[in-house]
């Protein structure tokens, strides 16, 4: 079936910076729940929704995203009829205020205009949720709206959803405004940075935004257009996480350690695809003690793990204790090391620091390839 | 296309009837092994890792699953422009009415046209039902170095067991002087592994002649190799010392899985320079529940353990519910062990459900219990 929409996977705003992890890769390439990367979720949503033309926007450090997304074949996207394009914004540095989504779209506007599909679905590479975009598109078309947004009601917006937008709605689910979540209240409608509209509307918004201000984002221009365009919102229910700060990232993983929550996100009829690394199963030794955790393949586990997410090929030596933590691929935790409330980046080797302890609301971050 | 120096042909027609219910629906090469693999992943990955680009897989029994499995050549990375894995089924010939290959050599003979399209210098012949890691490129180097007509991979077996195998007697410099199938009084302990490299030009000629010979059983071991020896051709034994298993029975399949529980096992599937590739699955990582107990186990992604697992191998999607115990056992993909069930020394086939409080097997049972059908649970 030739689907009516093409997909755009957007890159996070230049005001978003996730402590530590973000220094090495864009958020889409962050490891998530051991064997996934954050971008696997929007990519799988697109693929499962029969969208086989997807543009992935990459703002900086493209290596990890380019390697991971590749041809898109592992996302079940055929390579002739379908296509995954990686598009870069090359005209400004990653931290520049000009390096935002509108400028990235403007640089690639000819490519966008050449797409055959009538509609575009834009989803962020830095949020995790499950959504059938076919349903969203049907809702959008039958409502006659100009733009349809996706949002979720949350009750913890003071502490989480940092750097995200919140929307205000009128009684008819019409969007009145889109503004940054400043943590002023717990109950908010968090905007999932997901848009459905006609391609022509999108192109016009990109042009309007850049005429109005060089630093306007797509959310900024839609906020302004709320007054004279029909902008509506659809409520999403189920697991939703934003990866826009270290705390949000950590919390997103900890929530999924409840198997019921995880099985809501991972349904057999809605597979989450990723690139395989062909690692072998994990070896649990006689001394291993593992509880309440997700463990990826290729690990060697001799120590204790509780309530944690363990990435691929992690080595946990006897006597090591990992609690309430995220340990990414290829890290080695040596004998007698105690890690609690921490995010340990890839290839880290922890030998000498016997105690690494963060706070539940502020995890300790250990750098990539660091030896401690 | 660029010439392929060596083409591989995998004989995957083995029925594996001693594997009982595990092979009623699938051919032996498609049987699961090692948590996430199928046996045929080993020769296919070995080919990919040995820089062999084109592999023909010869199937015959119950091969629908094997055919569709093997057709996904991307799994083993054999997906470049000139690479591929091709399933070759027996050609039905109007004048014969035979729909199966008559012997191992016949399987190759019937596909001479396929091999000719690649015009290889050498042909590698493998079995699809052995578990081992081997660099065929090194074997080819040896073949060239010896200026051999054929090279046969052999492995040393204990002399007292040698009468169970096809034994190669050599002149002490690797040249094979005699081949004895299951000798009563073995003169050597070098057993054939069913892995051959032939110089294709010579083999092609011999196969064409063999096809016309009404007295031939069209088998490499019974006809081609003896004839080559009779003609005093250069046949050399290539000794392989690594881990190698032919899992012919339930007990040996169980045992081969158990071998993986030793972190220092010689197969070492964790070697990043020689990975074994397989089907990719979209599952969560393994989930180990809050009350779970794991003591020595080999567990792959998609598994969920809420109960206790001791000295066992758990395949993709297997579930051990609360209060269930899995001891010295192998759970194949999708197996569910319900609450309170206890499995000891068992091998549970794909997608089987073991009901609540069911007890199967015992610590001192001699053989391994094969559980191939759902077992209804009792009440508490």
């Amino acid at each position: 079936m030739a689907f009516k929409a093409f997909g755009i996977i957007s890159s996070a705003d230049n005001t978003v910076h996730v402590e530590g992890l973000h220094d090495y890769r864009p958020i889409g390439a962050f490891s998530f729940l051991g064997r996934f990367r954050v971008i696997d979720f929007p990519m799988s949503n697109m693929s499962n929704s029969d969208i086989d033309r997807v543009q992935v926007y990459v703002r900086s450090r493209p290596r990890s995203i380019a390697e991971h997304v590749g041809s898109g074949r592992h996302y079940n996207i055929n390579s002739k009829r379908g296509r995954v394009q990686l598009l870069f914004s090359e005209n400004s540095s990653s931290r520049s205020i000009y390096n935002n989504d509108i400028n990235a779209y403007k640089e690639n506007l000819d490519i966008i205009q050449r797409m055959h599909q009538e509609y575009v679905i834009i989803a962020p590479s830095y949020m995790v949720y499950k959504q059938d975009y076919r349903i969203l598109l049907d809702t959008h078309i039958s409502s006659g709206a100009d733009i349809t947004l996706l949002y979720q009601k949350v009750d913890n917006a003071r502490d989480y959803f940092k750097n995200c937008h919140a929307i205000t709605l009128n009684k008819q689910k019409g969007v009145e405004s889109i503004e940054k979540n400043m943590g002023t209240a717990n109950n908010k409608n968090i905007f999932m940075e997901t848009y459905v509209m006609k391609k022509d509307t999108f192109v016009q918004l990109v042009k309007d935004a850049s005429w109005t201000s060089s630093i306007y984002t797509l959310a900024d221009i839609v906020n302004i257009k709320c007054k004279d365009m029909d902008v509506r919102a659809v409520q999403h229910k189920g697991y939703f996480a934003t990866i826009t700060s270290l705390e949000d990232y950590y919390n997103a993983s900890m929530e999924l350690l409840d198997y019921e929550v995880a099985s809501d996100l991972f349904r057999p009829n809605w597979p989450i695809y990723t690139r395989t690394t062909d690692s072998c199963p994990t070896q649990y030794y006689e001394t291993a003690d593992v509880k309440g955790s997700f463990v990826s393949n290729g690990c060697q586990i001799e120590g204790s793990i509780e309530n944690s997410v363990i990435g691929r090929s992690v080595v946990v030596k006897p006597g090591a204790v990992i609690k309430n933590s995220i340990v990414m691929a290829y890290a080695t935790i040596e004998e007698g090391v105690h890690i609690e409330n921490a995010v340990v980046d890839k290839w880290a080797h922890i030998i000498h620091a016997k105690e690494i302890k963060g706070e539940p609301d502020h995890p300790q971050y250990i750098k990539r390839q660091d030896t401690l | 296309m660029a010439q392929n120096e060596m083409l591989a042909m995998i004989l995957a027609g083995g029925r594996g009837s001693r594997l009982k219910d595990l092979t009623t629906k699938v051919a032996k090469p498609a049987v699961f092994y090692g948590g996430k693999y199928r046996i045929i992943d080993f020769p296919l990955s070995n080919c990919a890792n040995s820089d062999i680009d084109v592999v023909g897989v010869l199937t015959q029994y119950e091969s629908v699953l094997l055919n569709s499995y093997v057709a996904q050549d991307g799994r083993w990375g054999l997906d470049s422009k000139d690479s591929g894995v091709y399933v070759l089924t027996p050609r039905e010939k109007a004048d014969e009415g035979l729909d199966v290959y008559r012997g191992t050599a016949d399987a190759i003979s019937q596909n001479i046209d396929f091999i000719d399209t690649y015009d290889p210098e050498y042909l590698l012949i493998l079995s699809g039902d052995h578990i081992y890691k081997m660099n065929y490129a090194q074997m080819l180097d040896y073949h060239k170095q010896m200026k051999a007509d054929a090279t046969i991979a052999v492995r040393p077996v204990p002399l007292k067991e040698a009468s169970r195998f096809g034994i190669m007697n050599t002149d002490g410099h690797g040249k094979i002087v005699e081949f004895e199938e299951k000798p009563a009084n073995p003169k050597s302990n070098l057993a054939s592994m069913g892995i051959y490299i032939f110089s294709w030009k010579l083999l092609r000629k011999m196969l064409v002649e063999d096809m016309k010979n009404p007295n031939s059983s069209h088998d490499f071991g019974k006809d081609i190799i003896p004839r080559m020896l009779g003609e005093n051709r250069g046949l050399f034994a290539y000794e392989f010392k690594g881990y190698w298993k032919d899992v012919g029975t339930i007990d040996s399949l169980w045992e081969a899985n158990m071998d993986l529980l030793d972190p220092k096992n010689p197969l070492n599937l964790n070697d990043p320079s020689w990975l074994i590739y397989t089907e990719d699955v979209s599952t969560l990582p393994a989930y180990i529940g809050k009350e779970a107990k794991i003591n020595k186990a080999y567990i792959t992604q998609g598994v969920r353990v809420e109960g206790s697992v001791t000295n066992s191998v758990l395949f993709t999607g297997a579930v051990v519910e609360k209060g269930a115990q899995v001891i010295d056992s192998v759970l194949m993909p999708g197996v569910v062990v319900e609450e309170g069930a206890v499995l000891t020394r068992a091998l549970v086939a794909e997608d089987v459900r073991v009901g609540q409080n069911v007890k199967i097997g015992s610590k001192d049972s001699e053989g391994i219990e094969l559980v191939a059908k759902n077992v209804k649970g009792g009440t508490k």
Side-chain angles (χ1 to χ4, degrees):
Chain A
M1 176 186 89
F3 195 64
K4 289 188 286 261
F6 70 98
I8 282 182
I9 296 189
S10 62
S11 187
D13 200 285
N14 50 11
T15 59
V16 174
H17 185 76
V18 179
E19 181 191 334
L21 293 166
H22 214 161
D23 295 342
Y24 301 94
R25 71 284 269 176
I27 298 171
F30 285 15
S31 153
F32 194 74
L33 213 60
R35 65 182 301 249
F36 302 97
R37 294 190 189 236
V38 176
I39 199 167
D40 292 335
F41 295 86
M43 283 300 295
S44 301
N45 284 337
M46 294 274 177
S47 167
N48 290 334
S49 304
D50 293 334
I51 297 173
D52 61 4
R53 289 296 304 259
V54 183
Q55 300 183 345
V56 177
Y57 284 81
V58 189
R59 199 191 306 283
S60 61
R61 294 183 189 82
R63 182 193 59 85
S64 48
I65 285 275
E67 271 178 20
H68 187 73
V69 171
S71 68
R73 182 179 153 145
H74 48 284
Y75 293 111
N76 225 9
I77 292 175
N78 285 326
S79 63
K80 298 262 184 190
R81 180 75 207 177
R83 191 166 165 208
V84 175
Q85 287 176 292
L86 289 179
L87 298 170
F88 309 100
S89 35
E90 286 149 356
N91 289 349
S92 50
S93 74
S94 63
R95 293 290 186 94
S96 156
I97 56 164
Y98 299 109
N99 194 342
N100 63 24
D101 54 355
I102 289 290
N103 281 301
Y105 302 140
K106 209 175 101 191
E107 274 183 47
N108 296 289
L109 206 58
D110 54 330
I111 298 173
I112 293 169
Q113 281 174 313
R114 279 200 297 268
M115 298 300 282
H116 300 298
Q117 291 79 358
E118 191 182 355
Y119 293 91
V120 60
I121 290 167
I122 303 168
S125 62
Y126 46 97
M127 292 187 181
V128 177
Y129 62 83
K130 180 178 79 185
Q131 171 68 40
D132 189 336
Y133 294 130
R134 289 169 299 197
I135 296 172
L136 197 61
L137 182 65
D138 286 347
T139 311
H140 172 77
I141 293 171
S142 58
S143 75
D146 295 315
I147 303 171
T148 302
L149 311 178
L150 196 64
Y151 75 98
Q152 178 136 337
K153 273 186 190 241
V154 306
D155 58 7
N156 54 349
R158 273 189 209 275
D159 295 327
Y160 296 100
F161 306 102
K162 285 171 195 162
N163 295 312
C164 296
H165 292 98
I167 57 175
T168 48
L169 297 167
N170 64 28
K171 279 181 184 145
Q172 290 75 41
K173 295 266 173 166
V175 177
E176 290 184 328
S177 71
I178 306 172
E179 279 159 350
K180 277 272 174 192
N181 169 33
M182 307 304 272
T184 49
N186 264 331
N187 291 309
K188 292 246 169 156
N189 296 323
I190 296 297
F191 175 36
M192 297 166 79
E193 313 282 335
T194 301
Y195 307 79
V196 186
M197 63 187 101
K198 282 198 166 150
K199 182 188 80 182
D200 295 343
T201 310
F202 176 57
V203 169
Q204 195 54 48
L205 284 173
V206 172
K207 289 179 178 166
D208 287 354
S210 57
W211 285 330
T212 317
S213 163
S214 307
I215 59 168
Y216 260 24
T217 63
L218 185 59
D220 290 335
I221 191 72
V222 174
N223 179 39
I224 288 178
K225 296 282 180 185
C226 281
K227 290 179 197 69
D228 35 62
M229 286 174 90
D230 185 357
V231 183
R232 300 193 198 187
V234 170
Q235 188 183 350
H236 172 272
K237 285 177 183 168
Y239 182 85
F240 165 54
T242 63
I243 314 298
T244 45
S245 71
L246 188 65
E247 291 74 28
D248 281 293
Y249 172 72
Y250 174 77
N251 191 47
S253 303
M254 291 298 123
E255 268 177 30
L256 287 169
L257 287 171
D258 180 341
Y259 196 80
E260 297 304 312
V261 176
S263 33
D264 172 62
L265 183 62
F266 292 84
R267 297 271 179 87
N269 63 359
W270 200 260
I272 306 300
Y273 306 104
T274 189
R275 174 180 287 277
T276 180
T277 58
D278 300 294
S279 30
C280 66
T282 280
Q283 192 102 45
Y284 296 78
Y285 290 59
E286 268 163 325
T287 49
D289 180 16
V290 183
K291 284 188 169 59
S293 298
F294 276 111
V295 182
S296 308
N297 273 6
C299 298
Q300 301 277 326
I301 297 171
E302 296 179 76
S304 302
I305 299 169
E306 191 185 334
N307 204 44
S308 295
V309 175
I310 308 298
R312 285 170 160 134
S313 302
V314 167
V315 177
V316 183
K317 295 284 186 182
V321 178
I322 299 168
K323 211 175 155 184
N324 306 332
S325 294
I326 300 168
V327 181
M328 293 189 191
Y330 308 105
T332 299
I333 315 298
E334 293 284 353
E335 272 177 52
V337 172
H338 187 115
I339 296 175
E340 196 170 335
N341 305 325
V343 176
V344 179
D345 208 334
K346 277 171 97 169
W347 298 104
H349 191 173
I350 305 179
I351 321 167
H352 306 293
K354 291 300 176 199
E355 177 121 344
I356 290 169
K357 203 171 170 191
E359 296 303 319
D361 53 1
H362 187 77
Q364 178 65 48
Y365 171 75
I366 305 297
K367 281 202 270 192
R368 192 176 197 266
Q369 267 178 321
D370 222 6
T371 301
L372 289 181
Chain B
M1 74 182 79
Q3 195 207 15
N4 282 277
E5 189 184 28
M6 182 159 76
L7 201 75
M9 297 289 267
I10 300 181
L11 303 169
R15 179 171 285 231
S17 47
R18 286 177 304 151
L19 286 171
K20 300 175 195 167
D21 289 346
L22 286 184
T23 47
T24 48
K25 287 207 194 85
V26 300
K28 185 175 163 194
V31 166
F32 292 104
Y33 169 74
K36 62 179 288 201
Y37 310 97
R38 292 182 191 264
I39 295 173
I40 198 165
D41 291 332
F42 288 81
L44 280 167
S45 302
N46 287 340
C47 285
N49 289 330
S50 303
D51 289 330
I52 293 169
D53 294 331
V54 178
V55 183
V57 178
L58 299 147
T59 62
Q60 52 185 346
Y61 304 106
E62 295 300 339
S63 39
V64 176
L65 186 143
L66 189 61
N67 286 358
S68 59
Y69 185 72
V70 164
Q72 297 256 353
D73 41 22
R75 280 179 187 146
W76 303 279
L78 292 166
D79 51 1
S80 78
K81 192 167 175 295
D82 287 343
S83 298
V85 180
Y86 301 93
V87 181
L88 304 164
T89 49
R91 316 291 176 89
E92 277 173 316
K93 290 183 184 141
D95 56 337
E96 275 181 56
L98 278 178
D99 63 346
V100 290
Y101 294 129
R102 290 170 294 169
T104 51
D106 187 47
I108 303 298
S109 300
Q110 286 198 35
N111 291 289
I112 285 178
D113 52 352
F114 169 79
I115 299 166
D116 280 346
T117 53
Y118 293 96
D119 186 26
E121 208 159 323
Y122 305 99
L123 188 74
L124 170 68
I125 294 171
L126 305 168
S127 162
D129 45 15
H130 298 157
I131 298 164
Y132 64 108
K133 294 195 305 198
M134 183 173 176
N135 190 337
Y136 307 129
Q138 284 173 4
M139 183 171 164
L140 179 61
D141 287 346
Y142 177 83
H143 180 86
K144 290 184 199 164
Q145 190 195 326
M146 292 295 152
K147 299 191 169 58
D149 293 312
T151 300
I152 302 171
V154 295
R155 65 187 184 100
V157 295
L159 197 59
K160 61 179 196 294
E161 287 176 31
S163 54
R164 286 172 39 215
F165 299 95
I167 294 296
M168 300 291 166
N169 300 322
T170 63
D171 66 355
H173 303 285
K175 190 170 192 293
I176 298 167
V177 292
E178 193 184 7
F179 169 64
E180 292 181 287
E181 184 67 41
K182 298 185 177 146
N185 300 300
K187 294 177 205 134
S188 136
N189 70 335
L190 296 178
S192 167
M193 296 163 67
I195 300 169
Y196 311 93
I197 291 178
F198 290 100
S199 297
W200 173 235
K201 223 170 131 184
L202 173 68
L203 179 69
R204 190 186 191 285
K205 182 172 151 279
M206 294 186 81
L207 288 174
V208 170
E209 287 164 15
D210 181 74
M211 275 199 290
K212 293 178 194 142
N213 179 359
N215 300 320
S216 173
S217 53
H218 311 293
D219 189 87
F220 281 105
K222 291 192 193 100
D223 305 286
I224 304 294
I225 301 298
R227 198 186 133 196
M228 286 184 123
L229 283 169
E231 292 173 4
N232 200 24
R233 300 274 181 192
L235 270 72
F236 285 84
Y238 176 76
E239 199 171 321
F240 175 76
K241 291 205 177 81
Y243 183 95
W244 183 89
K245 268 267 157 93
D246 177 1
V247 286
T249 62
I250 294 296
D251 282 22
S252 67
L253 178 61
W254 175 87
E255 205 177 277
N257 278 291
M258 289 292 129
D259 286 344
L260 298 170
L261 289 167
D262 175 2
K264 293 190 174 64
N265 74 78
L267 187 59
N268 187 16
L269 297 173
N270 206 11
D271 173 4
S273 71
W274 203 272
L275 291 171
I276 302 303
Y277 313 108
T278 187
E279 180 178 18
D280 189 19
V281 290
S282 301
T283 66
L284 282 162
Y287 179 74
I288 313 298
K290 290 180 169 49
E291 291 163 40
K293 277 199 191 106
I294 294 191
N295 181 1
K296 218 175 168 198
Y298 200 61
I299 295 179
T300 195
Q301 55 206 6
V303 164
R304 182 182 179 197
V305 179
E306 304 282 357
S308 107
V309 173
T310 307
N311 206 47
S312 296
V313 179
L314 273 57
F315 290 59
T316 313
V319 177
V320 179
E321 291 185 353
K322 236 178 232 178
Q325 292 177 52
V326 175
I327 305 153
D328 302 335
S329 294
V330 174
L331 307 186
M332 295 219 160
V335 167
V336 178
V337 183
E338 292 184 1
E339 274 189 51
V342 182
L343 289 172
T344 314
R345 287 172 65 76
L347 188 147
V348 188
E350 192 185 359
D351 292 330
V352 164
R353 197 169 252 281
V354 178
Q356 280 187 21
N357 302 317
V358 166
K359 305 255 181 300
I360 293 173
S362 79
K363 199 84 197 158
D364 33 47
S365 67
E366 200 185 308
I368 297 306
E369 191 87 36
L370 170 67
V371 188
K373 286 194 192 90
N374 289 352
V375 186
K376 242 184 124 180
T379 44
K380 278 191 177 176

